[in-house]
Amino acid sequence: MTLSESPLNPFRWIEDLAHVWRDTRLIVLTAQIAAIYAAILIPFKVGIPLIPGFAELRPANAIPVVASLLFGPAAAWGAGIGNIIGDCFGTLGPASAFGFVGNVLLGYVPHLLWGNMGPLSAGQPPRLRSWREGVEYAIVCLAASALCAGTIAWGVELLGLLPMTILAPAIFFNNMVMGLLLGPPLLRFLYPRVERWGLRYADLRETATTIGRSEGVSCRVDPEAAMTAIVPGSPPSDCEHPAFERSDRTHPMVVVDRVTFSYRGARTAALHQVSLTLARGEHVVVMGRAGSGKSTLCLTLNGLIPQFVPGTMSGRVRVGNVAIHEHPVSMNADIVGLMFQDFDTQLVSTNVEMELLHTLEHARPPLPLEDVQHRIREALDLVGLTAFARRDPQSLSGGQRQRLVLASLLVRKPALLVLDQPMTDLDPVTRRQFSTVLADLKKDGVTMLIAEHESEEILHMDRVCVLQDGEVRWDGSPSVLFRRPALVERLGLHPLSITECFRDVDVPELPITVEEAWELAEAYDLVLEPPDAETMSDQARSTPSPESYSGLREATPILQFESVSFAYEQGPPVIQDLSLAIPEGEFIALLGQNGSGKSTLAKLMNGLHRPTRGRVVVEGVETRTATLSELASRIGYVFQNPDHQIFAETVWEEVAFGATNLGLGSAETEHRVREALQAVGLDPKASRTLDPFSLTKGERQRVAVASVLAAKPRILIVDEPTTGLDAEETQRMMAMMHRLHRQGHTIIMITHAMRLVTRYATRCLIMHDGHILADGPTRAIFAQPEVLNRASLEIPAPVRFSQRWGLTLLTEEEVRAALKRRSR
């Protein structure tokens, strides 16, 4: 390390303190540290109006020391600002200026000293796993406390408030006691998590100054030079500039050239020598198994990788004439619009119109007010949200929020749109609307790359690129690929349902649409004859016959709604006068458009919502009077996003949490955890040390199910269990739910995936405007296309194909069994 690089060099630490305000991530960390520090300080400052730090023993004083060893100068600023905020609640005065400086030192000195004290340093990160690290921690805590105390006491004496000899020992004692008592356990708890998430100051500083490790990618960016490179003499927020016009005519719009990327600590590369080109206006879909590199590729296209995501990258990405990784992400946003899979994280405002205005505030140079208003109106009109301009985004449905995020990208008029699984949360109607918006953008010449799992959604795309183990394994026409179902399966994708129906038929070319299947059947004299009774017995789904179904309906229900209505505060009724009885042992699909009341109905079932009128009874217990813990042992709820309910350090602790809260003994809890983990196909032994957030989404979904099963509920509600899962994860998830159903659990599944409904559900409930539009056995419901159309639900390909012959066949297997050559 050279002198200029040494943390003890005053020029280096001044530069580090200044650097915080040039890095958005460090600014956010500073704000969070300040907020936490102030929140803990405030109760101890109220009522002590004169001398800061005196006659107080404040547990908050351990935070600057711990945060300093994790976040460096961000902790210094956070401690100083947090102390000023705290002073506003009792001790604000001239001495607060010295309190600010003293707390900056308390939050910065540990960072400067750790590892730089020669023989006194342990030579290890501050994990506090050895006695030498403990000694080093005590020394840096002592030094920081002394400097903080001396600075504040000197300033207070300078103001004539209190002698330094009295105040300095009091502040020093306070800092040392809290730092030594609370700091070590807090640091031992936080350090491995901060390290794993790449949030240490060293990690953030590294990604801010080192964009690439090879191929000569620039490490530092001159903003003015970058702006000139992007759009010479023109506003960067308008992509119709001369540079783009030239590239449109003679070069591809997007060039990904031999890109390799490895996440920090990963053993294998997420992307390996990936090359891909997109022409202007071309729409390309990227598919592949979970972990194949789809999302990683998306993040490279606007520079988030490697500028914000720690790792090693080589290769180049160009959009038009712009080398993406040579310019800040904020500037790349003018030409590349990126929608995350978890699109809700991109919403920041409390008003739809303001959400788009916030995006345009960062345009360089600033746009005239008339242009801003025109762009907002144009974008909202394009995505069909004009009527919601004044609404809070969180009051919109999932599909509407997704379209709002798309609008926030479109207002900057990007040349390239990158959408990571944009169809996952949409019902069939909203999906069609979304597809129409994308088609309109194609007419306007917008280039698009979409990462997607669902095969049925991408047949209209220009090309499909399939990734496997971070490498491109297929690049070509979707119609060519999906006529080869064996290849589709090898690549880890869902074969098309209609193609699967003809897989055993000797025809020159398999169909990929229902219309093609009808034409093929006519050309080859194929008809559907009613399958035999064994094929129609629905053993895979255990669907009851209409006769036995009526008997089930008359049995004592395990879950019952009696004239239930529900309305959110100051809103119209979402559920209206609904009555419903669910016998034990059914597998129910709860269907309907976004906003039809499905999730509200499910939350009424498990007590998360209490009815405004009427009664909900679960196993004889009324939800209005039962506690949530009582209901948790009867009915479990698995959220659509498993990350909304997972919080523990290890998989074992996560699964054990519910059983422990029920007051069970350790032996019974351990038995239940093992049983639940085995039920979902997870290794109990490995789960004791396995971090749930290191797992794939499909595995996290199974952890969430196991955590519910450990409470042994007889009823299991699962909200969109296959959202974001690839073909193999979907199969595993549904096989697990089918197994639980066969073991006696009553399953209630909320889903938009009709192919899963026809394969697994025994009964369907269709919601429409807060009412039950239809309720019956799965085959009987799908035999009524007019009901499905009224509810805006899609009819699966096997069902639609078979209904031409007056049959309602639910699965590909049923169609194959019934498909015969016409007798002559």
Side-chain angles (χ1 to χ4, degrees):
M1 177 181 290
T2 65
L3 179 62
S4 63
E5 294 173 331
S6 170
L8 297 180
N9 179 2
F11 295 104
R12 171 63 188 271
W13 60 259
I14 291 172
E15 198 277 333
D16 270 358
L17 284 170
H19 171 71
V20 169
W21 303 105
R22 297 196 297 268
D23 190 317
T24 304
R25 299 164 300 177
L26 292 173
I27 293 173
V28 171
L29 277 174
T30 298
Q32 291 176 329
I33 293 166
I36 294 169
Y37 191 37
I40 304 176
L41 280 175
I42 287 168
F44 295 89
K45 286 184 175 282
V46 174
I48 306 172
L50 293 178
I51 311 298
F54 188 61
E56 306 166 43
L57 196 61
R58 304 183 303 197
N61 284 34
I63 290 176
V65 178
V66 172
S68 179
L69 295 173
L70 298 172
F71 310 119
W77 288 113
I81 295 169
N83 189 72
I84 291 291
I85 295 171
D87 281 357
C88 292
F89 290 82
T91 62
L92 186 66
S96 295
F98 298 99
F100 172 81
V101 176
N103 276 274
V104 167
L105 291 171
L106 185 62
Y108 198 31
V109 169
H111 165 72
L112 293 176
L113 291 182
W114 190 274
N116 292 284
M117 296 186 298
L120 295 178
S121 292
Q124 297 292 329
R127 298 188 181 97
L128 301 192
R129 293 177 178 174
S130 68
W131 68 269
R132 290 199 64 191
E133 291 172 45
V135 169
E136 185 174 6
Y137 175 83
I139 293 171
V140 299
C141 185
L142 185 152
S145 299
L147 282 170
C148 173
T151 301
I152 296 174
W154 173 77
V156 170
E157 184 178 60
L158 194 66
L159 295 170
L161 296 174
L162 200 68
M164 182 175 178
T165 54
I166 295 177
L167 183 58
I171 298 176
F172 173 76
F173 176 76
N174 181 11
N175 290 346
M176 278 296 293
V177 169
M178 292 297 100
L180 292 176
L181 284 179
L182 302 180
L186 189 60
L187 190 58
R188 285 176 62 89
F189 175 79
L190 288 176
Y191 188 89
R193 291 159 179 78
V194 171
E195 182 181 39
R196 182 167 64 243
W197 298 331
L199 291 176
R200 295 178 308 165
Y201 177 69
D203 301 330
L204 298 176
R205 180 68 169 169
E206 177 186 9
T207 57
T209 57
T210 305
I211 295 178
R213 303 237 187 248
S214 61
E215 305 248 351
V217 179
S218 174
C219 292
R220 297 183 183 274
V221 177
D222 179 349
E224 295 300 324
M227 285 299 300
T228 304
I230 294 176
V231 192
S234 301
S237 50
D238 184 355
C239 289
E240 299 300 323
H241 53 69
F244 271 98
E245 286 297 322
R246 286 194 300 272
S247 66
D248 294 343
R249 299 293 180 261
T250 60
H251 299 95
M253 175 58 69
V254 179
V255 177
V256 179
D257 182 20
R258 294 170 296 167
V259 167
T260 295
F261 179 76
S262 298
Y263 290 95
R264 177 186 286 121
R267 296 181 180 179
T268 58
L271 296 176
H272 180 67
Q273 293 287 303
V274 170
S275 293
L276 183 67
T277 61
L278 280 73
R280 183 184 189 272
E282 189 176 21
H283 285 194
V284 176
V285 64
V286 177
M287 306 187 76
R289 293 182 175 91
S292 61
K294 300 186 300 298
S295 294
T296 304
L297 178 61
C298 290
L299 295 178
T300 67
L301 292 174
N302 78 334
L304 279 172
I305 286 178
Q307 295 184 45
F308 281 82
V309 180
T312 304
M313 178 172 172
S314 64
R316 293 190 179 273
V317 175
R318 298 189 69 87
V319 178
N321 68 325
V322 178
I324 289 298
H325 300 139
E326 295 179 4
H327 306 292
V329 173
S330 59
M331 294 180 182
N332 293 336
D334 289 314
I335 55 173
V336 181
L338 173 63
M339 180 190 289
F340 299 149
Q341 182 179 351
D342 186 5
F343 56 85
D344 278 328
T345 61
Q346 295 179 256
L347 296 174
V348 297
S349 296
T350 56
N351 176 284
V352 166
E353 209 168 48
M354 291 297 293
E355 187 72 43
L356 274 60
L357 178 61
H358 170 76
T359 302
L360 290 176
E361 284 175 344
H362 297 279
R364 299 185 190 181
L367 295 169
L369 179 61
E370 297 78 13
D371 287 356
V372 169
Q373 294 173 337
H374 173 72
R375 287 194 181 198
I376 290 175
R377 287 194 301 269
E378 185 179 46
L380 290 178
D381 183 58
L382 184 61
V383 301
L385 292 179
T386 303
F388 301 91
R390 302 292 181 182
R391 286 272 294 273
D392 181 344
Q394 297 309 314
S395 71
L396 304 177
S397 70
Q400 290 167 335
R401 292 198 305 276
Q402 196 163 31
R403 282 183 280 155
L404 175 58
V405 173
L406 179 61
S408 72
L409 304 179
L410 295 177
V411 289
R412 294 185 81 154
K413 296 187 179 296
L416 171 67
L417 274 178
V418 181
L419 310 178
D420 194 353
Q421 298 197 42
M423 306 288 191
T424 53
D425 291 322
L426 305 184
D427 61 37
V429 168
T430 310
R431 202 177 294 144
R432 288 194 290 271
Q433 293 171 344
F434 198 86
S435 296
T436 300
V437 170
L438 299 188
D440 290 340
L441 292 172
K442 183 176 177 65
K443 293 176 185 176
D444 293 337
V446 176
T447 308
M448 196 172 302
L449 184 137
I450 299 177
E452 188 55 76
H453 279 313
E454 291 296 331
S455 305
E456 310 281 350
E457 305 298 332
I458 61 95
L459 293 178
H460 62 284
M461 301 294 283
D462 296 319
R463 279 164 52 211
V464 58
C465 174
V466 182
L467 296 180
Q468 197 170 58
D469 299 326
E471 299 180 357
V472 177
R473 297 295 173 86
W474 171 273
D475 188 355
S477 166
S479 65
V480 173
L481 174 63
F482 285 100
R483 294 184 199 277
R484 302 168 62 184
L487 174 60
V488 170
E489 288 182 335
R490 286 202 302 274
L491 293 172
L493 309 180
H494 289 289
L496 297 175
S497 295
I498 196 64
T499 306
E500 285 289 275
C501 291
F502 284 78
R503 196 167 184 171
D504 299 332
V505 179
D506 184 17
V507 291
E509 189 174 73
L510 294 175
I512 58 173
T513 66
V514 172
E515 290 74 16
E516 285 187 7
W518 285 334
E519 292 175 5
L520 189 67
E522 186 173 341
Y524 285 85
D525 286 332
L526 299 173
V527 296
L528 289 181
E529 297 178 355
D532 56 39
E534 184 178 350
T535 304
M536 295 288 286
S537 66
D538 301 327
Q539 292 177 357
R541 297 188 315 278
S542 302
T543 300
S545 65
E547 295 77 17
S548 61
Y549 181 78
S550 61
L552 273 173
R553 294 292 299 273
E554 295 169 2
T556 302
I558 192 173
L559 176 62
Q560 190 164 7
F561 281 59
E562 299 174 1
S563 303
V564 170
S565 296
F566 176 81
Y568 292 97
E569 187 176 353
Q570 299 179 344
V574 179
I575 301 293
Q576 303 180 56
D577 195 30
L578 187 147
S579 295
L580 171 68
I582 297 177
E584 186 172 8
E586 286 199 293
F587 193 132
I588 292 177
L590 187 54
L591 310 175
Q593 283 182 270
N594 291 336
S596 62
K598 303 186 302 297
S599 294
T600 301
L601 183 68
K603 290 174 181 176
L604 284 164
M605 291 177 179
N606 78 333
L608 287 177
H609 291 329
R610 306 298 168 103
T612 307
R613 286 193 301 109
R615 299 170 70 234
V616 178
V617 181
V618 181
E619 291 189 316
V621 176
E622 188 176 347
T623 60
R624 196 193 301 273
T625 57
T627 65
L628 286 177
S629 59
E630 284 180 294
L631 292 172
S633 63
R634 291 174 164 82
I635 184 165
Y637 193 113
V638 180
F639 291 94
Q640 177 176 345
N641 187 342
D643 297 340
H644 290 170
Q645 63 191 103
I646 290 176
F647 61 90
E649 288 185 60
T650 68
V651 169
W652 183 278
E653 290 171 335
E654 181 67 41
V655 177
F657 179 80
T660 303
N661 272 4
L662 293 175
L664 302 175
S666 57
E668 177 63 17
T669 297
E670 177 152 345
H671 172 71
R672 289 197 180 192
V673 172
R674 287 183 177 279
E675 193 174 52
L677 288 168
Q678 289 167 351
V680 300
L682 295 174
D683 181 6
K685 183 177 180 180
S687 72
R688 291 186 181 274
T689 56
L690 197 60
D691 180 357
F693 292 101
S694 69
L695 304 176
T696 67
K697 183 176 181 182
E699 290 167 334
R700 296 198 306 277
Q701 193 82 290
R702 285 190 278 158
V703 170
V705 173
S707 67
V708 170
L709 291 179
K712 290 203 169 179
R714 292 169 66 189
I715 307 170
L716 184 64
I717 303 172
V718 188
D719 193 351
E720 294 288 358
T722 60
T723 294
L725 304 189
D726 65 23
E728 293 165 354
E729 288 177 324
T730 296
Q731 187 175 8
R732 284 194 293 268
M733 174 60 64
M734 295 311 301
M736 179 198 71
M737 291 177 60
H738 174 61
R739 185 167 61 251
L740 293 173
H741 178 225
R742 296 293 292 267
Q743 292 170 357
H745 290 273
T746 301
I747 307 291
I748 300 171
M749 175 177 69
I750 304 172
T751 186
H752 293 132
M754 296 296 107
R755 59 187 171 79
L756 302 182
V757 175
T758 56
R759 182 168 293 276
Y760 295 99
T762 63
R763 174 182 173 189
C764 294
L765 293 174
I766 299 181
M767 296 288 296
H768 184 66
D769 291 337
H771 295 91
I772 294 180
L773 178 64
D775 176 7
T778 302
R779 195 179 303 279
I781 292 296
F782 280 87
Q784 306 173 64
E786 67 284 356
V787 173
L788 296 173
N789 289 330
R790 183 180 170 192
S792 301
L793 298 175
E794 66 181 358
I795 301 175
V799 177
R800 186 165 162 243
F801 176 74
S802 65
Q803 285 177 341
R804 185 163 185 169
W805 286 270
L807 303 173
T808 300
L809 305 182
L810 299 180
T811 66
E812 299 92 333
E813 292 84 358
E814 290 183 357
V815 173
R816 285 203 297 266
L819 197 58
K820 313 287 183 185
R821 292 199 182 270
R822 193 191 310 271
S823 301
R824 294 190 180 275

